Coordinates of all heavy atoms in Angstrom, one line a residue:
T17 N 166.6 141.7 2.3 CA 167.3 141.4 3.5 C 167.9 142.7 4.1 O 168.6 143.4 3.4 CB 168.4 140.4 3.3 OG1 167.9 139.2 2.7 CG2 169.1 140.0 4.6
N18 N 167.6 142.9 5.4 CA 168.2 144.0 6.1 C 169.5 143.4 6.8 O 169.4 142.6 7.7 CB 167.3 144.5 7.2 CG 167.9 145.5 8.1 OD1 169.0 146.0 7.8 ND2 167.2 145.9 9.2
T19 N 170.6 143.7 6.2 CA 171.9 143.1 6.7 C 172.4 143.9 7.8 O 173.5 143.5 8.4 CB 172.9 143.1 5.5 OG1 173.1 144.4 5.1 CG2 172.4 142.2 4.4
A20 N 171.8 144.9 8.2 CA 172.3 145.8 9.3 C 171.7 145.4 10.7 O 170.8 144.6 10.8 CB 171.9 147.2 9.1
D21 N 172.4 145.8 11.7 CA 171.9 145.6 13.1 C 171.0 146.8 13.5 O 170.8 147.0 14.7 CB 173.1 145.5 14.1 CG 173.8 144.2 13.8 OD1 173.2 143.2 13.5 OD2 175.1 144.2 14.0
D22 N 170.4 147.5 12.5 CA 169.5 148.6 12.8 C 168.1 148.3 12.3 O 168.0 147.4 11.4 CB 170.0 149.9 12.0 CG 171.4 150.3 12.4 OD1 171.7 150.4 13.6 OD2 172.2 150.6 11.5
Y23 N 167.2 149.0 12.8 CA 165.8 148.9 12.3 C 165.7 149.8 11.1 O 166.2 151.0 11.1 CB 164.8 149.4 13.4 CG 164.8 148.5 14.6 CD1 165.7 148.6 15.6 CD2 163.8 147.5 14.7 CE1 165.7 147.8 16.7 CE2 163.8 146.7 15.8 CZ 164.7 146.8 16.8 OH 164.7 146.0 17.9
K24 N 165.0 149.4 10.0 CA 165.0 150.1 8.8 C 163.6 150.3 8.3 O 162.7 149.5 8.5 CB 165.7 149.3 7.7 CG 167.2 149.1 7.9 CD 168.0 150.4 7.8 CE 169.4 150.2 8.1 NZ 170.2 151.5 7.9
A25 N 163.4 151.5 7.7 CA 162.2 151.8 7.0 C 162.5 151.9 5.5 O 163.5 152.6 5.1 CB 161.6 153.2 7.4
V26 N 161.9 151.1 4.6 CA 162.2 151.1 3.2 C 161.0 151.3 2.4 O 159.9 150.9 2.8 CB 162.9 149.7 2.8 CG1 164.2 149.6 3.5 CG2 162.0 148.5 3.1
K27 N 161.2 151.9 1.2 CA 160.1 152.1 0.3 C 160.1 150.9 -0.7 O 161.2 150.7 -1.3 CB 160.3 153.4 -0.4 CG 159.3 153.7 -1.6 CD 158.0 154.2 -1.0 CE 157.3 155.0 -2.1 NZ 156.0 155.5 -1.6
V28 N 159.0 150.3 -1.0 CA 158.9 149.2 -2.0 C 158.0 149.7 -3.0 O 156.8 150.1 -2.7 CB 158.4 147.9 -1.3 CG1 158.3 146.8 -2.4 CG2 159.3 147.4 -0.2
R29 N 158.4 149.7 -4.3 CA 157.6 150.3 -5.4 C 157.7 149.4 -6.6 O 158.8 149.0 -7.0 CB 158.2 151.7 -5.7 CG 157.5 152.5 -6.7 CD 158.0 153.9 -6.8 NE 157.4 154.6 -7.8 CZ 158.0 154.9 -9.0 NH1 159.2 154.6 -9.2 NH2 157.3 155.6 -9.9
F30 N 156.5 149.2 -7.2 CA 156.4 148.4 -8.4 C 155.9 149.3 -9.5 O 154.9 150.0 -9.3 CB 155.4 147.2 -8.2 CG 155.9 146.2 -7.2 CD1 155.6 146.4 -5.8 CD2 156.6 145.1 -7.6 CE1 156.1 145.5 -4.9 CE2 157.1 144.2 -6.6 CZ 156.8 144.4 -5.3
V31 N 156.4 149.2 -10.7 CA 156.0 150.0 -11.8 C 155.8 149.1 -13.0 O 156.6 148.1 -13.2 CB 156.9 151.2 -12.2 CG1 156.9 152.2 -11.0 CG2 158.3 150.7 -12.5
E32 N 154.8 149.4 -13.9 CA 154.6 148.5 -15.1 C 155.6 148.9 -16.1 O 156.2 149.9 -16.1 CB 153.2 148.7 -15.6 CG 152.7 150.1 -15.8 CD 153.0 150.6 -17.2 OE1 153.0 149.8 -18.2 OE2 153.2 151.8 -17.4
G33 N 155.8 148.0 -17.1 CA 156.9 148.1 -18.1 C 156.7 149.0 -19.3 O 157.6 149.4 -19.9
Q34 N 155.4 149.3 -19.6 CA 155.2 150.1 -20.8 C 155.6 151.6 -20.6 O 156.3 152.2 -21.4 CB 153.8 150.0 -21.3 CG 153.5 150.7 -22.6 CD 152.1 150.5 -23.1 OE1 151.6 149.4 -23.0 NE2 151.5 151.5 -23.6
N35 N 155.1 152.2 -19.6 CA 155.3 153.7 -19.3 C 155.8 154.0 -17.9 O 155.7 155.1 -17.5 CB 154.0 154.5 -19.6 CG 153.7 154.6 -21.1 OD1 154.6 154.5 -21.9 ND2 152.5 154.7 -21.4
S36 N 156.2 153.0 -17.2 CA 156.6 153.1 -15.8 C 155.6 153.7 -14.9 O 155.9 154.5 -14.0 CB 157.9 153.9 -15.7 OG 159.0 153.2 -16.3
A37 N 154.3 153.4 -15.1 CA 153.2 153.9 -14.2 C 153.3 153.0 -12.9 O 153.5 151.8 -13.0 CB 151.9 153.7 -14.9
E38 N 153.2 153.7 -11.8 CA 153.2 153.0 -10.5 C 152.0 152.1 -10.3 O 150.9 152.6 -10.6 CB 153.3 154.0 -9.4 CG 153.6 153.4 -8.0 CD 153.8 154.5 -7.0 OE1 154.9 155.0 -7.0 OE2 152.8 154.8 -6.3
V39 N 152.2 150.8 -10.0 CA 151.1 149.9 -9.8 C 150.9 149.5 -8.3 O 149.8 149.0 -8.0 CB 151.2 148.7 -10.7 CG1 151.0 149.2 -12.2 CG2 152.4 147.9 -10.5
L40 N 151.9 149.6 -7.5 CA 151.9 149.3 -6.1 C 153.1 149.9 -5.4 O 154.2 149.9 -5.9 CB 151.8 147.8 -5.9 CG 151.8 147.3 -4.4 CD1 150.6 147.7 -3.7 CD2 152.1 145.8 -4.3
D41 N 152.8 150.5 -4.2 CA 154.0 151.0 -3.4 C 153.5 151.0 -2.0 O 152.4 151.1 -1.7 CB 154.5 152.3 -3.9 CG 153.7 153.5 -3.4 OD1 152.6 153.7 -3.8 OD2 154.2 154.2 -2.5
F42 N 154.5 150.8 -1.1 CA 154.3 150.8 0.3 C 155.6 151.0 1.1 O 156.6 150.8 0.5 CB 153.5 149.5 0.8 CG 154.2 148.2 0.5 CD1 155.1 147.7 1.4 CD2 153.9 147.6 -0.7 CE1 155.7 146.5 1.0 CE2 154.6 146.4 -1.0 CZ 155.5 145.8 -0.2
H43 N 155.5 151.3 2.3 CA 156.7 151.4 3.2 C 156.7 150.2 4.1 O 155.7 149.8 4.7 CB 156.6 152.7 4.1 CG 156.3 153.9 3.3 ND1 155.4 154.8 3.7 CD2 156.8 154.3 2.1 CE1 155.4 155.8 2.8 NE2 156.3 155.5 1.9
L44 N 157.9 149.6 4.1 CA 158.1 148.3 4.9 C 159.0 148.6 6.0 O 160.0 149.3 5.9 CB 158.7 147.3 3.9 CG 159.2 146.0 4.5 CD1 158.0 145.1 5.0 CD2 159.9 145.2 3.4
Y45 N 158.7 148.1 7.2 CA 159.5 148.3 8.4 C 160.2 147.0 8.8 O 159.5 146.0 9.0 CB 158.7 148.8 9.5 CG 158.2 150.2 9.1 CD1 157.0 150.4 8.4 CD2 158.9 151.3 9.5 CE1 156.6 151.7 8.0 CE2 158.5 152.6 9.1 CZ 157.4 152.8 8.3 OH 157.0 154.0 7.9
M46 N 161.5 147.0 8.8 CA 162.3 145.7 9.0 C 163.1 145.8 10.3 O 163.7 146.8 10.6 CB 163.2 145.5 7.8 CG 162.4 145.4 6.5 SD 163.5 145.1 5.1 CE 163.9 143.3 5.4
S47 N 163.1 144.7 11.0 CA 163.9 144.5 12.2 C 165.3 144.3 11.8 O 165.6 144.0 10.6 CB 163.5 143.2 13.0 OG 162.2 143.3 13.5
P48 N 166.3 144.4 12.7 CA 167.7 144.1 12.4 C 167.8 142.7 11.9 O 167.2 141.7 12.4 CB 168.4 144.3 13.7 CG 167.6 145.2 14.5 CD 166.1 144.9 14.1
Q49 N 168.6 142.5 10.8 CA 168.9 141.2 10.2 C 167.6 140.5 9.8 O 167.6 139.2 9.7 CB 169.7 140.3 11.2 CG 171.0 140.9 11.7 CD 172.0 141.1 10.6 OE1 172.1 140.3 9.7 NE2 172.7 142.2 10.7
D50 N 166.6 141.2 9.4 CA 165.3 140.7 9.0 C 165.4 140.3 7.5 O 166.1 140.9 6.7 CB 164.3 141.8 9.2 CG 162.9 141.3 9.1 OD1 162.6 140.1 9.0 OD2 161.9 142.1 9.2
V51 N 164.6 139.3 7.1 CA 164.4 139.0 5.7 C 162.9 139.1 5.4 O 162.1 138.5 6.1 CB 164.9 137.6 5.4 CG1 164.6 137.2 3.9 CG2 166.4 137.4 5.7
W52 N 162.5 139.8 4.4 CA 161.1 139.9 3.9 C 161.0 139.2 2.6 O 161.8 139.4 1.7 CB 160.7 141.4 3.8 CG 159.3 141.6 3.4 CD1 158.2 141.6 4.1 CD2 158.9 141.8 2.0 NE1 157.1 141.8 3.3 CE2 157.5 142.0 2.1 CE3 159.6 142.0 0.8 CZ2 156.8 142.2 0.9 CZ3 158.8 142.2 -0.3 CH2 157.4 142.3 -0.3
T53 N 160.0 138.4 2.4 CA 159.8 137.7 1.2 C 158.3 137.9 0.6 O 157.4 138.1 1.4 CB 160.1 136.2 1.3 OG1 159.2 135.7 2.3 CG2 161.5 135.9 1.7
G54 N 158.2 137.7 -0.6 CA 156.9 137.7 -1.3 C 156.9 137.1 -2.7 O 158.0 136.8 -3.2

């Protein structure tokens, strides 16, 4: 949730549990007061 009244760019990154190897990452752009779900 973007709790701000600002537009936000955020990095979303997933890593696996054995050696913390990155398995997915992307940049997400959120409107003010936006909620992103997956």
Side-chain angles (χ1 to χ4, degrees):
T17 303
N18 176 8
T19 59
D21 291 326
D22 300 314
Y23 294 83
K24 298 290 182 178
V26 297
K27 173 82 160 180
V28 180
R29 181 174 177 252
F30 297 86
V31 297
E32 54 88 30
Q34 184 173 322
N35 288 330
S36 295
E38 188 174 280
V39 295
L40 176 66
D41 79 291
F42 55 91
H43 306 136
L44 173 66
Y45 295 85
M46 301 182 77
S47 295
Q49 304 297 321
D50 193 5
V51 177
W52 178 84
T53 60

